[in-house]
Amino acid sequence: MLTVPRRQAGLTALYLGVFATIWFSVPAADQPLRTLLIVASVAALGTAVAGAVVAARSRPETGAVGDRASDRRYLLIVVAEFVAAGLGAALLALLGRSAYAPVLVCAVVGVHFFPLTPLLRDPRLRLLGVAMCLVALAGLVTGLASAVAPGLVVGVGAGLLLWAYAVWTLATAPRPAG
């Protein structure tokens, strides 16, 4: 089974746990779904805290991601993601289609995992990227074909995927020596 270094697993769980919490807050939902989304947000935030603890207690591995060139490439990927998502959301708002902004953002997030895969040396990120793009597509189709808000589909789907991936990464991280 493929594992990422323990510190990287902790950082992955930290970041994805935080973003899962954010995605769970996107949809406007009635009860009982609203309560479930709050519970999921708290659980995802708990996963983020667990990831922070793992990362803080783990030493960086020799040859791990973190050199200047890797850091610069990572930063460029994330900046490009935020720019694309922000500009796309602004354009959708100008076109009167802001309900589809979560769909676009989810697709951009899914695509950004592909260039991160070799950088972070985690081929499983491709699965997450494909799954996020499929959630975006499901949100788009649902929004176009029904009265269900695309943000509901995408918020729940993206939140669950990111949270599940964070938990999976922590669960498969190497145990500390000693």
Side-chain angles (χ1 to χ4, degrees):
M1 171 179 269
L2 173 73
T3 59
V4 296
R6 187 161 177 77
R7 179 169 161 66
Q8 182 179 328
L11 290 172
T12 298
L14 168 62
Y15 299 150
L16 296 186
V18 167
F19 283 111
T21 299
I22 293 167
W23 276 106
F24 285 135
S25 70
V26 167
D30 295 326
Q31 295 297 347
L33 181 57
R34 184 80 213 131
T35 299
L36 291 173
L37 290 172
I38 291 168
V39 169
S41 288
V42 171
L45 199 53
T47 302
V49 170
V53 169
V54 167
R57 291 184 176 176
S58 303
R59 289 182 311 203
E61 292 76 17
T62 306
V65 176
D67 62 64
R68 283 189 178 275
S70 295
D71 289 348
R72 191 172 19 255
R73 185 164 176 223
Y74 180 87
L75 181 61
L76 287 173
I77 292 167
V78 172
V79 166
E81 171 195 18
F82 275 88
V83 168
L87 290 176
L91 179 61
L92 285 170
L94 286 172
L95 296 172
R97 298 289 191 175
S98 58
Y100 290 94
V103 172
L104 175 92
V105 172
C106 185
V108 169
V109 169
V111 168
H112 108 283
F113 285 117
F114 292 97
L116 284 180
T117 296
L119 183 66
L120 297 176
R121 297 182 199 113
D122 185 358
R124 301 176 305 178
L125 286 172
R126 285 188 197 97
L127 295 173
L128 182 57
V130 167
M132 291 289 285
C133 289
L134 289 173
V135 165
L137 180 62
L140 176 65
V141 169
T142 302
L144 293 172
S146 73
V148 176
L152 179 62
V153 174
V154 172
V156 172
L160 286 172
L161 285 173
L162 294 174
W163 180 31
Y165 193 89
V167 169
W168 182 30
T169 301
L170 278 180
T172 59
R175 299 290 166 231

